[in-house]
Amino acid sequence: MRNRKLMWWVVGAIVVVLLAGGGIALAVARGDGKPRAATPSSVPPTSAEPAPTTPPPSPGADITGPLDLVLLGVDTRVTIPDWEPHSDAIMLLHVDKGLKSAYLYSLPRDLRVKMPAFAKAGFGGGTYKLTEAMSRGSRVPGSKKANVKQGYELLTKTLSAYTGIKQFQAGAILNFGGLDKLVDQLGGIDLAVDQKVSSHHRKPDGSLRPLVGGEYQGPAAVYLPGKRHLVGWQAIDYARQRYGLPDGDYDRQRHQRQMVRAILTKALDQGLAADSAKLEGVITALGETLVYVGGRTPLEYAYALRDLEPSKITLVGLPGNGVGGGSGYLGEALTAEGRGFLTALTKGQAPGYLAKHPKLVNK
């Protein structure tokens, strides 16, 4: 079995990935994340022993919010040392002060944004698609190896400039292969499919469709509306599709948010953090597919978010449109309504704004 200190570190990171920390009390019972070793003794305690003192507060007990966390799904080739990571799914979680309610929303991967200069990567800045921030920021001058955490740094600087959110307290970066494994380790997830989705990549049995002449051929996996139980490859395949959907990538973003909440619900229903055997299985399944970036430790954020339930996470969809120029399609831009939500969020006015714009709320 792996070292338990590492085990609790990964558990904390998983909790950040799943956007909550229900049931994590077991992991922080001691306060330093290390298991308490048994201390056998044949000498019974006597009345002369000092009375037990009040234990110190659990790590993370001083975190009161608000918090802004980043959840990124990256290209599966992030595990290749010289592959520049692209953030294909960009989700942000804003947790209100008190840490009992939150908003999960997405930004389009093709969002046209201004990126600041970033000396670490030899990047002079400019206007590009948001997905490029990770790749451009990850470059190490004089080396072919990519630095994922460095890419995350440029991405969050770009996000701050665009959203007005001054600081992101932590982030979790997981490739799609890792999500596939996580869902299978949980025994699949239950998801309310909200529209018919045909897979661009997979056959009904999960095998890859053949690519012929630049087009995928043969029968495709189809996800019909209704309550469905999805195994790992189905959940990820469903959440990755955009072709053939009425709103393309915006539909895909909604499905990704729904998948995250379904994963969280299943994890909490199973008592993941209180079952060491299940935890060990999840750790083994994720391997090196997870990267955590933050100031405080994952364990502290996990404890702080222990009371954030899935039902208290509002899923928000930000509408946008394609923009073009002389060279054709350049990317996406949020509508005034979508940008308005970001402004309201930074001012602590999200509930009132969503009450006036109820169509932004996803089920």
Side-chain angles (χ1 to χ4, degrees), residues 101 184 241 308:
S101 59
D184 278 337
Q241 302 307 314
L308 180 57

Side-chain angles (χ1 to χ4, degrees), residues 245-288:
L245 299 181
D247 292 319
D249 188 51
Y250 294 94
D251 285 331
R252 177 170 65 173
Q253 293 170 35
R254 183 178 69 256
H255 296 160
Q256 290 169 346
R257 292 190 296 271
Q258 292 168 343
M259 179 187 67
V260 168
R261 187 164 63 181
I263 291 174
L264 170 59
T265 299
K266 186 64 175 288
L268 298 187
D269 286 346
Q270 289 190 355
L272 179 67
D275 189 321
S276 60
K278 290 180 182 178
L279 287 175
E280 186 68 16
V282 170
I283 293 166
T284 302
L286 285 178
E288 297 181 355

Side-chain angles (χ1 to χ4, degrees), residues 14 41 46 57 71 81 96-97 112-113 118 145 179 208 211 242 259 265 326 362-363:
I14 291 171
S41 174
T46 67
L71 174 62
D96 290 328
K97 185 176 182 179
R112 196 78 173 159
V113 294
F118 191 58
K145 292 186 177 181
L179 283 171
L208 292 174
L211 186 62
R242 58 171 173 161
M259 179 187 67
T265 299
N362 305 147
K363 295 183 178 179

Side-chain angles (χ1 to χ4, degrees), residues 13 39 68 112-113 135 153 215 226 255 315 341:
T39 308
D68 287 284
R112 196 78 173 159
V113 294
S135 58
E153 185 179 348
E215 296 291 335
H255 296 160
L315 306 186
F341 170 77

Side-chain angles (χ1 to χ4, degrees), residues 130-149:
L130 183 57
T131 184
E132 297 179 58
M134 278 285 291
S135 58
R136 292 180 180 277
S138 70
R139 296 171 185 171
V140 179
S143 172
K144 292 184 177 180
K145 292 186 177 181
N147 185 321
V148 175
K149 292 185 179 181

Side-chain angles (χ1 to χ4, degrees), residues 94 96 103 342-352:
H94 175 85
D96 290 328
Y103 301 92
L342 297 177
T343 300
L345 194 69
T346 59
K347 295 181 178 180
Q349 300 172 353

Side-chain angles (χ1 to χ4, degrees), residues 83-164:
W83 178 256
E84 292 183 354
H86 287 71
S87 45
D88 289 333
I90 304 165
M91 284 178 275
L92 306 178
L93 180 76
H94 175 85
V95 188
D96 290 328
K97 185 176 182 179
L99 309 179
K100 297 294 182 65
S101 59
Y103 301 92
L104 179 63
Y105 58 102
S106 307
L107 292 176
R109 67 183 299 279
D110 288 346
L111 186 66
R112 196 78 173 159
V113 294
K114 292 181 179 180
M115 298 180 192
F118 191 58
K120 291 181 181 179
F123 175 59
T127 301
Y128 301 94
K129 294 178 181 178
L130 183 57
T131 184
E132 297 179 58
M134 278 285 291
S135 58
R136 292 180 180 277
S138 70
R139 296 171 185 171
V140 179
S143 172
K144 292 184 177 180
K145 292 186 177 181
N147 185 321
V148 175
K149 292 185 179 181
Q150 190 175 285
Y152 173 84
E153 185 179 348
L154 177 58
L155 175 64
T156 52
K157 288 179 180 293
T158 302
L159 289 174
S160 290
Y162 183 82
T163 63

